[in-house]
């Protein structure tokens, strides 16, 4: 029987406490851990000379699906492919899942996810914004339909679940036949879990008592920063270690034989927000190390592949197995558990993990046929022509050159902010703008420009803000951004493959700023690379004031750039920057870089241009 959280949780865990049992699962709400549950069975250990009772089962895991059902790239309008020939999508995962279930026996398997489910493709965007699931008699979200059909047992909340606001997330939750878990997503008023913290599944064994498997869901504290506009005053997100330490002992006291954590948090122990929050962003390994009683952690958020990684718990000395199945449905994690019955209880004798590659199997027709009409609708939508372009533009060299295609984003943002502030107190101040290269494969073709072309420049659901900065703060901001380049001495050759992403900084955390001119001297050490910063031909006065057009991710502290999060907010838009770009192209009719493109910044070494 499908589980509907409305039967036990309501809009918030504050509405009640207890346990709900459905389909062999116990799903925890805020007060559920006070209850004790005991399975049936003989309750006795094996006698002398009798072989030990053993049971093996497998937990499959996905993470960071980001709206991928089909092996399809809506931005290129063709089958997905990358340099490693990965495939994506739940239709591929479904085929792998079916194979594992046939091999192991369905009753001996579970399927869970570690979050970031409903944002990332134009398919997921369409059903959040264009034909929203929240509308009266609205559609069922494609990710809910696909995951229900495949038979997920639970999914942790990811940070991107909150991008479209809590009403969309609640509607998605309602449409899922499995619980969305978030033990550290708390109601801001009551500090009780706003979602189910955990689920306990019973595995039927052929030899006596069921094995009780607890899945604890943990999400990312960064939601408080990245989606402040949607969750501020409504929900709070304490650290993973703190909440795991609270819940794992409760789950053990309730009789859980195996505890698995599904964590939307990487394993590196790092954070992208500096000291803005007291919590660690990528805390999965810390949870394993610090919290006793965990057998395995399904890791998410970092978009990397970890087939099997063991972390030793400091208190017990026990090894905890971690696995992260990359992203977008490219991999499926398999946790294999071997249990033995001794001294009246099930004990994990051995646990390991591996990943399966979805590019080794075909798509499951059960899933593709289920969502064929939704897919076609979205393909038709993204291929709408909204204007033309005089020339082709590409982001291929944008990480190291001031390219017209990034100037286009900045031009749209600058014009939008100027229009919004016109006639007001700050209307006479110069407007500067930041933009990042989100994908090195994006482009605007010569000729017809479609929604997918424009949307491909901005794959994230960021919105636009205007903040007030001084000249000195702008210099600090640019110096911080310039950390992205590997220090490269003058004289020798420059290999663009080794020039960027210093210290693992992703492309989306390098900003080019328009409206000013500056050089980035990559022969210099970090912190002293910005040379000749000027506005309208004159060196910038440190006390000068500027309006800064910036996305809400950066304005909220994403990437830990200086000054902007604390700067005065002059204006904020509720529409995505992506839609603003689409609207701008529609209004202009024609995109001509000659109108807006200029070389405002360049890389140098000891004053000599790197790319003359």
């Amino acid at each position: 029987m499908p589980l509907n959280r409305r039967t036990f949780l309501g809009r918030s865990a504050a509405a009640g406490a207890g346990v709900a049992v459905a389909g062999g699962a116990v799903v925890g709400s805020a007060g559920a851990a006070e209850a004790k549950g005991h399975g049936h069975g003989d309750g006795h250990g094996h006698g002398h000379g009798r072989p030990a009772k053993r049971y093996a089962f497998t937990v499959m895991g996905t993470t960071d699906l980001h709206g991928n059902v089909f092996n399809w790239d809506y931005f290129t309008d063709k089958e997905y492919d990358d340099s490693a020939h990965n495939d994506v999508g739940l239709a591929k995962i479904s085929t792998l899942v079916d194979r594992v279930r046939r091999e192991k026996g369905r009753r001996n398997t579970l399927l869970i996810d570690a979050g970031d489910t409903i944002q990332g493709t134009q398919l997921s965007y369409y059903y959040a914004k264009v034909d929203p699931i929240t509308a009266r008699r609205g559609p069922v979200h494609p990710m809910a339909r696909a995951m229900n059909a495949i038979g997920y047992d639970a999914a942790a909340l990811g940070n991107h679940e909150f991008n479209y606001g809590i009403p969309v997330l609640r509607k998605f939750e309602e449409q899922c036949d499995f619980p969305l878990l978030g033990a550290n997503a708390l109601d801001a008023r009551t500090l009780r879990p706003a979602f189910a913290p955990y689920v306990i599944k019973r595995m039927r064994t052929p030899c006596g008592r069921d094995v009780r498997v607890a899945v604890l869901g943990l999400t990312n504290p960064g939601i408080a920063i990245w989606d402040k506009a949607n969750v501020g005053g409504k929900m709070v997100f304490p650290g993973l270690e703190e909440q795991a330490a609270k819940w794992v002992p409760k789950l053990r006291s309730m009789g859980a034989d195996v505890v698995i954590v599904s964590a939307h948090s990487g394993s590196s122990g790092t954070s992208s927000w500096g000291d803005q929050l007291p919590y660690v962003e990528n805390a999965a390994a810390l949870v394993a190390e610090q919290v006793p009683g965990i057998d395995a952690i399904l890791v998410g958020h970092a978009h990397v592949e970890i087939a099997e990684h063991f972390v030793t718990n400091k208190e017990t000395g026990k090894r905890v197995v971690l696995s992260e199945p990359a992203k977008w449905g490219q991999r499926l994690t398999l946790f294999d558990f071997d249990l033995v019955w001794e001294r009246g209880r099930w004990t994990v004798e051995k646990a390991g993990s591996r990943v399966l590659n979805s590019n080794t199997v075909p798509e499951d027709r059960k899933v593709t046929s289920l969502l064929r009409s939704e897919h076609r609708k979205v393909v038709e939508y993204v291929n709408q022509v909204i204007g033309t372009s005089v020339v082709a533009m590409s982001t291929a060299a944008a990480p190291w050159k001031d390219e017209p295609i990034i100037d286009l984003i900045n031009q749209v943002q600058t014009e939008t902010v100027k229009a919004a502030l016109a006639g007001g107190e700050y209307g006479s101040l110069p407007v500067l703008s930041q933009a990042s290269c989100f994908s090195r494969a994006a482009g605007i073709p010569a000729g017809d420009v479609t929604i997918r072309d424009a949307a491909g420049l901005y794959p994230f659901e960021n919105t636009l803000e205007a903040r007030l900065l001084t000249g000195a703060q702008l210099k600090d901001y640019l110096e911080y951004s310039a950390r992205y380049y590997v220090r490269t001495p003058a004289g020798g050759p420059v290999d663009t493959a080794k020039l960027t992403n210093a210290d693992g900084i992703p492309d989306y955390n390098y900003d080019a700023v328009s409206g000013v001119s500056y050089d980035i001297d990559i022969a210099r050490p970090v912190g002293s690379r910005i040379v000749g910063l000027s506005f309208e031909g004159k060196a910038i006065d440190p006390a000068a004031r500027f309006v800064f057009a910036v996305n809400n991710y950066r304005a909220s502290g994403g990437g830990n750039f200086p000054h902007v999060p604390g700067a005065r907010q002059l204006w904020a838009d509720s529409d995505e920057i992506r839609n603003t770009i689409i609207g701008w192209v529609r209004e202009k009719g024609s995109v001509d870089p000659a109108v807006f493109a200029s070389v405002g910044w360049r890389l140098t070494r000891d004053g000599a241009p790197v790319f003359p």
Side-chain angles (χ1 to χ4, degrees), residues 371-387:
L371 292 163
R372 187 174 289 121
S373 68
E374 286 90 338
H375 174 66
R376 285 176 179 162
K377 231 183 248 184
V378 174
V379 168
E380 189 177 303
Y381 162 74
V382 299
N383 281 295
Q384 290 178 37
V385 174
I386 54 174

Side-chain angles (χ1 to χ4, degrees), residues 71 79-89 91-96 99 305 327-332 355-363:
N71 186 38
E79 187 172 305
Y80 178 87
D81 193 27
D82 63 14
S83 58
H85 301 299
N86 287 302
D87 287 347
V88 300
K92 292 266 183 172
I93 290 295
S94 183
T95 303
L96 290 174
R99 286 189 179 185
E305 180 181 333
K327 62 181 179 182
W328 304 351
Q330 293 175 352
R331 305 287 185 272
L332 176 70
V355 294
L356 304 180
N357 194 327
S358 67
N359 72 4
T360 62
V361 296
E363 291 185 313

Side-chain angles (χ1 to χ4, degrees), residues 86 115 130 134 152 166 235 266 271 307 384 399 451 469 504 574 611:
N86 287 302
V130 182
T134 48
Y152 273 78
I166 292 171
M235 292 185 193
S271 292
Q384 290 178 37
I451 284 178
L469 287 187
S574 60
F611 304 104

Side-chain angles (χ1 to χ4, degrees), residues 224-576:
I225 289 177
W226 304 320
D227 264 306
K228 186 177 179 181
N230 290 326
V231 301
K234 298 172 186 173
M235 292 185 193
V236 293
F237 303 88
L240 285 85
E241 308 99 304
E242 167 196 322
Q243 293 299 300
K246 172 184 174 182
W247 285 100
V248 171
K250 290 184 179 182
L251 294 172
R252 289 291 183 183
S253 74
M254 292 170 68
D257 300 298
V258 181
V259 174
I260 300 164
V261 174
S262 184
H264 193 75
S265 180
S267 65
S268 65
T270 60
S271 292
S272 66
W273 53 63
D275 58 2
Q276 293 180 71
L277 286 178
Y279 314 118
V280 176
E281 177 180 349
N282 295 301
L286 295 173
V287 171
E289 186 180 83
Q290 295 176 16
V291 181
I294 297 169
D295 295 293
I297 300 181
L298 178 64
V299 178
H301 184 60
H303 290 205
V304 297
E305 180 181 333
I306 303 172
E308 182 181 65
H309 175 61
F310 289 98
V311 174
T312 300
N313 184 267
K314 281 184 173 178
E315 186 174 321
T316 65
K318 179 185 167 186
R319 295 202 312 166
V320 183
V321 62
L322 278 63
S323 181
E324 182 172 5
K327 62 181 179 182
W328 304 351
Q330 293 175 352
R331 305 287 185 272
L332 176 70
T333 279
L334 269 58
F335 289 108
D336 292 310
F337 297 94
D338 293 327
L339 276 64
V340 61
W341 179 266
E342 50 189 18
R343 291 188 289 279
R345 63 189 292 266
W346 287 110
T347 303
V348 176
E349 192 172 47
K350 183 183 173 189
S353 65
R354 55 198 165 103
V355 294
L356 304 180
N357 194 327
S358 67
N359 72 4
T360 62
V361 296
E363 291 185 313
D364 186 343
R365 289 184 182 175
K366 170 185 69 183
V367 175
T368 56
S369 61
L370 182 69
L371 292 163
R372 187 174 289 121
S373 68
E374 286 90 338
H375 174 66
R376 285 176 179 162
K377 231 183 248 184
V378 174
V379 168
E380 189 177 303
Y381 162 74
V382 299
N383 281 295
Q384 290 178 37
V385 174
I386 54 174
T388 60
S389 179
V390 175
V391 295
M393 294 180 281
S394 166
T395 57
W400 53 85
K401 286 183 180 178
D402 188 348
E403 291 284 271
I405 198 163
I406 304 298
D407 290 338
L408 171 61
I409 299 172
N410 277 324
Q411 180 69 18
V412 172
Q413 293 182 167
T414 299
E415 287 187 16
T416 303
V417 167
K418 278 183 177 177
L421 298 180
E425 180 183 354
Y426 302 99
S428 61
L429 290 180
V431 177
L432 315 179
S433 176
Q434 63 78 224
S436 303
C437 174
F438 293 120
S439 166
R440 299 189 186 193
I444 298 286
D448 286 348
V449 177
T450 62
I451 284 178
R452 66 179 170 84
D453 296 325
L457 296 183
Y458 229 104
F460 298 107
E461 270 67 48
N462 295 344
T463 57
L464 186 60
E465 297 191 15
R467 298 275 177 141
L468 189 64
L469 287 187
T470 66
Q473 290 173 329
L474 174 66
K475 176 112 174 355
D476 288 347
Y477 188 98
L478 291 170
E479 289 285 8
Y480 183 84
S481 186
R483 302 175 314 137
Y484 170 75
Y485 295 106
V486 174
R487 189 174 183 183
T488 310
V494 174
D495 181 358
T496 55
K498 299 176 181 176
L499 177 63
T500 62
N501 308 102
D503 297 322
I505 297 168
D507 291 349
Y508 63 77
N509 273 342
Y510 169 67
D511 288 356
V513 174
S514 71
V516 290
S517 297
Y518 56 97
D519 290 346
I520 302 172
D521 194 324
I522 58 174
R524 295 188 176 193
V526 167
S528 60
R529 291 180 166 179
I530 302 301
V531 179
L533 178 60
S534 63
F535 174 71
E536 294 184 343
K538 295 178 182 176
I540 284 183
D541 180 348
R545 298 197 306 165
F546 297 93
V547 174
F548 195 46
V550 60
N551 69 49
N552 68 305
Y553 173 78
R554 195 69 82 233
S556 298
N560 199 32
F561 277 64
H563 305 304
V564 173
R568 179 180 296 180
Q569 185 191 74
L570 308 180
W571 173 82
D573 199 1
S574 60
D575 203 9
E576 293 92 355

